[in-house]
């Protein structure tokens, strides 16, 4: 092991191993196109044929991962993608697309009458339906669902309706003048505000967006910065009353209103 021949052979073996490692690393880098990437094109609004042609020109492939119906989008068009537009990817990468369904998914209308309002809401949520207008009518059975409508028409149980439809409910109300607290909707999205308002047996009144809301996506992300009637610790309104909401994407409005609330709390509301 101390001979010159041994050290020569050892050096040759090490050199061969180093060369093999370098060749392997070079081959892997070449095979995976190391360092070679390109931005994902924006496919929003394109139909499948257009999206396929554009992706093929970039040596990219696609796969449809989801299909959702949107009133604001063209049926069959791309409404979402992953990775997002502008994200760097290598050639051959698969882009997962969400497309707008040709027609909305439908569900069988459940029987909501003769049960409590809260039970009806739970059933609707399980079926993918939303609470619409709550109309209170005099009845000896308080908070019992007496009728179910969509677009002003009574809908019988079992009838197929679009998933996501707003179902208007006619609710029994005793003559005792029941009231509920005014919720604090500040900082909530419209969807969150609707759920909270409905849970208190109230209705959504006017929905007012400021100048920062310019698109459908903006309206989904906008937050409540003002409401009428306003919220305080002891404010109450009658069941079935409406609450108007103002929504914005302007963080300064939300911060300003939040600071004012904290000031009022610290001074006892004066």
């Amino acid at each position: 092991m101390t001979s010159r021949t041994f050290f020569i052979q050892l050096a040759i073996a090490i050199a061969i191993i180093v060369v093999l490692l370098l060749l392997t690393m070079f081959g892997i880098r070449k095979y995976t196109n190391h360092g070679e990437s390109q931005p994902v094109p924006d496919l929003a609004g394109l139909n499948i044929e257009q999206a396929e042609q554009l992706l093929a020109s970039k040596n990219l492939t696609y796969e449809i991962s989801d299909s959702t119906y949107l009133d604001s989008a063209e049926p069959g068009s791309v409404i979402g993608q992953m990775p997002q537009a502008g994200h760097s990817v290598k050639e051959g990468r698969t882009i997962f697309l969400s497309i707008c369904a040709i027609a909305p998914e439908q569900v069988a209308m459940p029987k909501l009458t003769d049960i409590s309002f809260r039970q009806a809401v739970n059933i609707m949520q399980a079926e993918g339906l939303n609470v619409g207008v709550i109309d209170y009518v005099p009845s000896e059975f308080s908070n019992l669902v007496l009728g179910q409508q969509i677009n002003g028409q009574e809908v019988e149980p079992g009838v197929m309706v679009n998933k996501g439809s707003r179902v208007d409910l006619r609710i029994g109300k005793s003559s005792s003048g029941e009231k509920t607290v005014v919720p604090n909707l500040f900082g909530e999205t419209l969807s969150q505000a609707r759920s909270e308002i409905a849970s208190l047996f109230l209705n959504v009144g006017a929905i007012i967006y400021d100048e920062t809301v310019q698109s459908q996506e903006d309206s989904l992300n906008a937050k409540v910065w003002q409401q009428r009637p306003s919220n305080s610790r002891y404010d109450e309104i009658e069941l079935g009353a409406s609450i108007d909401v103002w929504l914005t994407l302007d963080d300064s409005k939300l911060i300003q209103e939040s600071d004012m609330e904290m000031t009022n709390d610290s001074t006892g509301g004066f």
Side-chain angles (χ1 to χ4, degrees):
M1 293 183 64
T2 58
S3 67
R4 182 182 179 189
T5 301
F6 171 77
F7 285 109
I8 292 174
Q9 292 177 341
L10 180 62
I12 293 173
I14 293 174
I16 292 174
I17 292 173
V18 170
V19 170
L20 289 175
L21 287 174
L22 291 174
L23 289 175
T24 300
M25 292 176 62
F26 176 79
I28 292 175
R29 289 163 65 92
K30 187 69 175 176
Y31 179 76
T32 60
N33 296 322
H34 182 77
E36 298 179 12
S37 60
Q38 58 182 322
V40 177
D42 187 359
L43 306 172
L46 302 181
N47 60 42
I48 290 299
E49 291 75 16
Q50 294 170 328
E52 182 177 16
Q53 291 175 3
L54 181 55
L55 290 173
S57 69
K58 306 288 186 182
N59 292 322
L60 300 171
T61 61
Y62 76 92
E63 182 178 321
I64 298 175
S65 60
D66 190 23
S67 177
T68 304
Y69 181 79
L70 291 178
D71 290 333
S72 57
E74 188 72 21
S77 64
V78 177
I79 57 176
Q81 63 184 82
M82 186 59 66
Q84 299 293 332
H87 186 83
S88 295
V89 297
K90 297 174 183 176
E91 290 186 358
R93 175 71 181 270
T94 298
I95 309 301
F96 296 94
L97 305 178
S98 297
I99 64 170
C100 180
I102 302 300
E105 182 182 350
Q106 293 197 314
V107 295
M109 183 70 177
K111 185 179 186 302
L112 304 174
T113 55
D114 299 326
I115 59 176
S116 71
F117 172 73
R118 295 195 184 280
Q119 288 177 296
V121 170
N122 290 336
I123 293 174
M124 290 168 63
Q125 290 177 341
E127 296 294 338
L129 299 171
N130 296 309
V131 179
V133 175
I134 303 172
D135 182 26
Y136 282 90
V137 296
S139 173
E140 60 180 312
F141 304 106
S142 184
N143 294 326
L144 189 73
V145 179
L146 305 176
Q148 54 192 51
Q149 297 181 333
I150 295 180
N151 297 326
Q153 300 293 324
E154 292 286 341
V155 183
E156 296 294 327
V159 174
M160 301 303 293
V161 298
N162 293 342
K163 191 172 184 178
S165 295
R166 295 195 177 282
V167 182
D168 302 332
L169 300 176
R170 192 164 64 254
I171 310 295
K173 177 183 177 183
S174 66
S175 58
S176 59
E178 294 179 75
K179 292 187 176 183
T180 185
V181 297
V182 177
N184 180 11
L185 306 174
F186 178 79
E188 296 185 357
T189 63
L190 180 58
S191 176
Q192 293 170 331
R194 283 187 186 278
S195 297
E196 186 167 356
I197 289 172
S199 70
L200 294 171
F201 306 95
L202 300 170
N203 285 304
V204 177
I207 301 171
I208 304 150
Y209 296 100
D210 70 3
E211 67 282 354
T212 63
V213 180
Q214 300 292 330
S215 65
Q216 178 74 16
E217 184 177 358
D218 287 345
S219 67
L220 296 176
N221 295 322
K223 296 182 179 180
V224 177
W225 68 279
Q226 189 175 329
Q227 67 182 74
R228 184 175 58 201
S230 60
N231 164 265
S232 73
R233 296 178 181 176
Y234 307 107
D235 282 343
E236 290 188 341
I237 53 177
E238 289 191 7
L239 299 182
S242 297
I243 298 181
D244 302 332
V245 292
W246 282 256
L247 297 106
T248 184
L249 288 173
D250 186 351
D251 289 336
S252 64
K253 287 185 178 181
L254 297 172
I255 293 173
Q256 290 172 5
E257 292 295 326
S258 180
D259 290 343
M260 289 176 62
E261 287 187 356
M262 292 178 63
T263 301
N264 287 339
D265 288 341
S266 64
T267 59
F270 295 95

